Amino acid sequence: MKRQAFIFDLDGTLLNTIQDLANSVNETLRDFHQPTYSVDEVRMMVGNGVRKLIERACAEGTDSHQQEKMYQRFLEIYAREKAHFTKPYPGIVKTVQALEAQGMRCAVLSNKNDDAVKALCDQFFPDAFALSQGVSDHVRPKPAPDGLLNVCKRLGVDVEAALYIGDSEVDIQTGRAAKMDMASVTWGFREPETLLQAGATLLVDAPEELLKLV
C-alpha cells in the first residue's frame, strides 16, 4: 500500500527537550527535598510519560500520595520551563515540510501531556502537522497502540499506509503493538545499540533520510 502518513514522536524525535525536562524534574525534586539527577540520568528516565518519569525520579520509599503531589508540581514547573532550551533537531523542520510537499499527511503522537504537546507544536511547528496528540484521559499512553490507531483514524488513513517515527524502546514497542511500520532515529535520547537491542528494524541517522521512505 502506498505511504500516506508519517506520524512522529515528539521528545527526542522532533524536539530536543531534555534540558528543560531535566531542569523541571530537578526543581520538583528540590521542592520536595529529594536528590537530583544529571541530564544524562534524566534522559534514560523519559519515554513513558510524565507520571512514569516522576515515579522513576522519586527517592526510594516515596509513597503514591507524595508522588501525586510531585507530579502536579512538575506540571506547574514544566508549563513555564518547557521552551527555554528546547529546539527542533537540525533539518527536521525542512524534512516535515518536504514530506507534506510530497503529499504526506504528518502528525505527532507523544506520551507528553496533551496540552504541552499542542503548545510546543504550535510554537516550533506552526501549521506543520495535520494534528498533534498527547496523553489524555481518553487515550492510553504508549506503548499501548491506542494512540497510533486513533491518529490514523483521525487522519483517515489505514495503519498499513502510515510510518511511525520515534527514538526510544517505547516507540518500537508501540509500532509493534499497532502493527505499523516503524523507523527509529539515532539523533534522539537513545543510542543505536539500545534501539537495536529493543528490536529496531530500521535506523535513520538524519532527518533527510526519511524522504527516502515515502
Side-chain angles (χ1 to χ4, degrees):
M1 183 176 291
K2 187 180 186 300
R3 191 85 67 198
Q4 297 175 346
F6 280 61
I7 304 171
F8 292 84
D9 171 54
L10 185 65
D11 297 60
T13 301
L14 293 170
L15 293 175
N16 187 348
T17 57
I18 195 60
Q19 185 68 60
D20 287 324
L21 284 169
N23 290 350
S24 298
V25 166
N26 283 331
E27 183 173 341
T28 300
L29 292 170
R30 284 192 292 269
D31 285 351
F32 287 83
H33 310 290
Q34 294 198 8
T36 58
Y37 296 92
S38 70
V39 172
D40 282 339
E41 287 173 325
V42 173
R43 187 191 314 275
M44 298 309 297
M45 298 178 187
V46 302
N48 290 88
V50 175
R51 286 191 181 277
K52 182 60 72 171
L53 171 60
I54 295 302
E55 179 184 322
R56 289 167 174 163
C58 284
E60 186 175 353
T62 304
D63 62 32
S64 58
H65 177 69
Q66 186 83 327
Q67 285 185 21
E68 179 63 24
K69 290 172 65 175
M70 295 175 71
Y71 167 75
Q72 295 297 334
R73 179 58 179 148
F74 175 90
L75 294 181
E76 294 174 2
I77 295 169
Y78 191 66
R80 71 162 193 269
E81 298 292 331
K82 63 181 178 294
H84 287 311
F85 297 97
T86 289
K87 58 185 178 181
Y89 286 101
I92 198 68
V93 173
K94 288 185 177 180
T95 296
V96 172
Q97 292 171 341
L99 288 169
E100 292 188 325
Q102 294 185 46
M104 296 298 106
R105 304 210 68 196
C106 295
V108 175
L109 175 67
S110 173
N111 267 352
K112 193 186 289 291
N113 285 31
D114 190 61
D115 54 352
V117 172
K118 287 176 169 52
L120 288 169
C121 285
D122 287 345
Q123 178 173 348
F124 292 103
F125 303 95
D127 303 318
F129 294 102
L131 65 91
S132 59
Q133 179 177 294
V135 171
S136 70
D137 294 335
H138 310 294
V139 180
R140 291 186 296 167
K142 300 179 288 184
D146 308 35
L148 277 181
L149 299 177
N150 184 59
V151 169
C152 286
K153 182 178 180 180
R154 293 173 64 189
L155 290 176
V157 302
D158 292 330
V159 170
E160 294 81 3
L163 178 71
Y164 182 50
I165 303 101
D167 74 302
S168 73
E169 304 96 318
V170 172
D171 294 313
I172 294 168
Q173 295 162 7
T174 306
R176 186 182 298 128
K179 295 181 170 58
M180 183 180 295
D181 290 342
M182 200 268 162
S184 299
V185 306
T186 61
W187 59 78
F189 296 166
R190 298 290 189 270
E191 296 296 324
E193 293 77 11
T194 301
L195 297 172
L196 290 171
Q197 289 173 3
T201 56
L202 175 61
L203 297 183
V204 177
D205 296 322
E208 297 78 10
E209 293 180 19
L210 294 172
L211 300 176
K212 302 176 183 177
L213 304 179
V214 172

